[in-house]
Amino acid sequence: MFSSQRSCIDSLRIRPPQRFPPHADLIETISYLKQYVTIKHPAYDDDENTLLTLYCPDGPTGGLHFGTARVACGMITNNEPDGFFSSSRDNCPMRLRVDDILAPGVYYYHLPQPTPPLVPLSLMTDVQSQPLSVPVPFQPYRYPVVPSFQHWSFPARGTLPPSWEALRHSPTLAQVNFTLGSENPSTTVAARDKTCRLSAYDLGCEKAHILPKHEVPWFTKNGLKIVPDDADISGFDTISTPANLMLMRADLHKILDDKKFVIVPKQGRLVSHFLVPADKYVYMHHNSEIQPTGVAVDFFFARLAWAIFPMLGKRFLKFGDSKLLAVSGSRLPCEVNIADCARFLAKPSKSSNNSPEKPGSPSKRARPSNDNNDQDVEYDKKGDLDNDTADSEYRAFESGKRSRKDRDRKDQDEKIQVSPVSGIRHEPRDAPVKSQALPNWLQPTPEQAKLATMKATALQQERARSDRDGFWEEELAWFADNRFGPFSDSKEVLRAELLEGKDIIDSDDEIWQTPLTFDN
């Protein structure tokens, strides 16, 4: 027999629609204004010198973490450690600490001027129109820029910026392990991280490569500077070491691969940093410290470079006449025509997924799994490369399309020789001499021009006194006839560059017998 008494319980209550959740700290620590820091090269005109444009969400009124901005500029200048910011073209440095905030605005990034600076031959001659190379203290310095991530070389082991090196001892990265062993990396990462390391969600997570999986060619060249000598990386592809994998919610993984945010050190802690506006993601996750994980700090550093370099393609590599670039495989910087800079905007090919796709079907992202299994998602970022306006150029380059201007220049380009030392383009002998006029702010003052003429005259008199056999006159005559080539061998290229005032690092004949590469 059932009891007639019933326990009294509250009636069912329907919860109101979910509002966007605030961050756990409930403190206004970020800006919602779409403000930017624009970083320019001081030695180019303002319509062609924008290097980077960085979003400024740091602080309630906007701004950019100074340490992050400085490291980004160091990367595109081939890891030069002595760069500094100024608010104008002059070389008056701004005095900021690594964790200070850079206010929104326009800044110039400088490198120290080499000693002594040289004036190009085409810009400085003596009264007898003899080509000379005269030391003149010109400012600002036209330093070379690395054009793409594929041409960037990872710094030597143990030489990352101090704020990055300090993270090697951080409790957040206490579980770093490069060893693969016999266990599947996905199983290792799922057991290690358990939840998304950024949002703390435990569902809808997948393993994310910090250095993208398709950058195997770059990692092959630079991996020895990242992976410790004693690491056991046999059994799986090296780039999929657990030290390069982190558990992440699927949507966060997508915007990470879209270059919308990176993970950087601030105030000694590892936090997420958004490079572009991303609406509520910025509100929820910007400057949020990540959960403890086992990713090596070197991979976070490489990911920052991978996200930064495409910004050069928005303006710097698209406008102007030519750019001085530091390219992989050349010991000296190369003067590259702006039309030829398009090759640095090429979108690298990705490794294909294991599962075949139907012919003609678009690339699709795998459905995230609710449990953390062996799910590595390769996203299709076509049309969404950080809202990059150069995306159409990437696609045109990949499909082999050439503009009419490129086709008209094809025959001429095939005749042009490139120096194996500096990469300078030497055009046929009958090619017209191109104007190399400096911008107004680099033109010598009357005092500098007078001093240069006096030095040139003294140098000419000294050569006439010491070179009684006329060797120098013969060299100048040869240079006048062969300045633009063609050259019979690499030694003639070296001879021409010495006469033009180029600074040749090493004239040993052995350098012509081996490939020229950068080595940090």
Side-chain angles (χ1 to χ4, degrees), residues 74-85:
M75 288 172 167
I76 64 174
T77 54
N78 208 20
N79 306 319
E80 288 289 341
D82 300 323
F84 59 89
F85 289 87

Side-chain angles (χ1 to χ4, degrees), residues 234 270 341 351 423:
S234 59
L270 204 55
C341 288
S351 57

Side-chain angles (χ1 to χ4, degrees), residues 296-308:
V297 63
D298 309 81
F299 289 110
F300 287 124
F301 191 78
R303 163 67 76 158
L304 174 61
W306 182 82
I308 286 294

Side-chain angles (χ1 to χ4, degrees), residues 358-502:
K358 295 180 179 179
S361 63
S363 299
K364 295 182 179 180
R365 182 175 63 82
R367 183 183 301 274
S369 173
N370 287 341
D371 54 349
N372 302 320
N373 59 4
D374 185 14
Q375 190 76 262
D376 187 19
V377 179
E378 292 294 332
Y379 292 107
D380 175 28
K381 298 189 286 296
K382 187 176 294 184
D384 190 18
L385 287 174
D386 188 19
N387 297 324
D388 194 349
T389 56
D391 187 38
S392 60
E393 297 182 22
Y394 289 140
R395 293 196 296 269
F397 187 93
E398 283 187 300
S399 62
K401 296 178 181 178
R402 296 176 62 92
S403 65
R404 178 173 299 178
K405 181 179 179 180
D406 290 335
R407 290 195 299 269
D408 293 341
R409 295 176 60 250
K410 181 178 180 180
D411 294 337
Q412 180 73 5
D413 286 345
E414 291 175 349
K415 300 176 183 178
I416 295 176
Q417 296 184 348
V418 180
S419 163
V421 177
S422 66
I424 294 177
R425 297 158 57 90
H426 296 278
E427 299 185 2
R429 188 174 302 180
D430 56 352
V433 179
K434 297 179 181 179
S435 173
Q436 300 184 19
L438 286 175
N440 291 334
W441 62 84
L442 287 181
Q443 295 291 352
T445 63
E447 292 78 11
Q448 290 174 332
K450 182 178 179 181
L451 178 62
T453 301
M454 293 173 60
K455 289 181 178 180
T457 302
L459 181 61
Q460 193 73 17
Q461 292 173 351
E462 175 60 23
R463 283 173 175 163
R465 184 192 67 80
S466 59
D467 184 27
R468 299 186 182 278
D469 295 333
F471 173 77
W472 182 249
E473 296 295 335
E474 293 178 3
E475 288 293 284
L476 292 180
W478 178 88
F479 182 73
D481 292 336
N482 297 276
R483 180 176 182 181
F484 297 103
F487 301 110
S488 60
D489 54 34
S490 57
K491 290 185 178 181
E492 284 200 352
V493 176
L494 177 62
R495 182 183 180 186
E497 291 182 346
L498 286 170
L499 288 168
E500 194 169 11
K502 303 295 180 184

Side-chain angles (χ1 to χ4, degrees), residues 97-375:
R97 296 167 297 183
V98 65
D99 286 318
D100 285 345
I101 300 298
L102 198 61
V106 176
Y107 300 91
Y108 294 86
Y109 186 73
H110 299 256
L111 290 182
Q113 179 80 278
T115 305
L118 296 176
V119 179
L121 285 171
S122 57
L123 301 179
M124 189 62 65
T125 59
D126 65 0
V127 293
Q128 299 179 1
S129 298
Q130 296 290 352
L132 298 172
S133 179
V134 182
V136 176
F138 281 119
Q139 290 290 346
Y141 170 41
R142 189 171 180 258
Y143 54 79
V145 174
V146 181
S148 69
F149 178 74
Q150 286 69 34
H151 288 268
W152 176 67
S153 182
F154 195 86
R157 187 175 300 176
T159 63
L160 297 186
S163 60
W164 287 82
E165 285 291 340
L167 289 175
R168 298 189 190 279
H169 309 291
S170 169
T172 303
L173 302 180
Q175 306 176 58
V176 174
N177 179 20
F178 283 86
T179 301
L180 290 173
S182 59
E183 192 173 26
N184 190 307
S186 298
T187 304
T188 302
V189 172
R192 181 195 68 194
D193 292 346
K194 296 182 176 61
T195 62
C196 171
R197 299 293 80 191
L198 189 59
S199 67
Y201 278 46
D202 59 348
L203 298 179
C205 297
E206 56 201 23
K207 67 181 178 72
H209 281 78
I210 302 304
L211 175 63
K213 187 176 182 179
H214 63 265
E215 292 295 349
V216 171
W218 182 91
F219 187 68
T220 301
K221 293 188 297 183
N222 294 273
L224 292 178
K225 303 174 186 177
I226 300 176
V227 180
D229 297 333
D230 57 351
D232 179 11
I233 53 178
S234 59
F236 293 92
D237 56 312
T238 308
I239 203 169
S240 293
T241 168
N244 186 36
L245 298 173
M246 188 168 73
L247 211 59
M248 190 172 294
R249 204 174 68 203
D251 58 325
L252 291 172
H253 186 191
K254 172 64 167 62
I255 65 173
L256 174 72
D257 281 352
D258 286 345
K259 306 181 182 72
K260 294 189 184 300
F261 79 94
V262 290
I263 297 174
V264 300
K266 297 183 183 180
Q267 298 180 358
R269 293 181 288 180
L270 204 55
V271 304
S272 56
H273 176 90
F274 277 75
L275 298 172
V276 296
D279 298 328
K280 295 180 180 180
Y281 284 102
V282 176
Y283 183 82
M284 279 294 294
H285 299 294
H286 181 73
N287 278 349
S288 293
E289 185 176 4
I290 68 169
Q291 307 281 341
T293 186
V295 177
V297 63
D298 309 81
F299 289 110
F300 287 124
F301 191 78
R303 163 67 76 158
L304 174 61
W306 182 82
I308 286 294
F309 272 103
M311 296 184 183
L312 291 173
K314 293 183 177 181
R315 294 196 64 86
F316 187 73
L317 296 177
K318 292 177 65 176
F319 299 102
D321 295 325
S322 65
K323 295 294 164 62
L324 188 64
L325 304 179
V327 299
S328 175
S330 176
R331 292 168 63 92
L332 294 179
C334 306
E335 190 73 33
V336 180
N337 187 284
I338 202 66
D340 295 329
C341 288
R343 71 177 186 269
F344 300 117
L345 304 179
K347 184 178 176 183
S349 60
K350 295 182 182 180
S351 57
S352 58
N353 294 334
N354 294 330
S355 58
E357 295 181 1
K358 295 180 179 179
S361 63
S363 299
K364 295 182 179 180
R365 182 175 63 82
R367 183 183 301 274
S369 173
N370 287 341
D371 54 349
N372 302 320
N373 59 4
D374 185 14
Q375 190 76 262

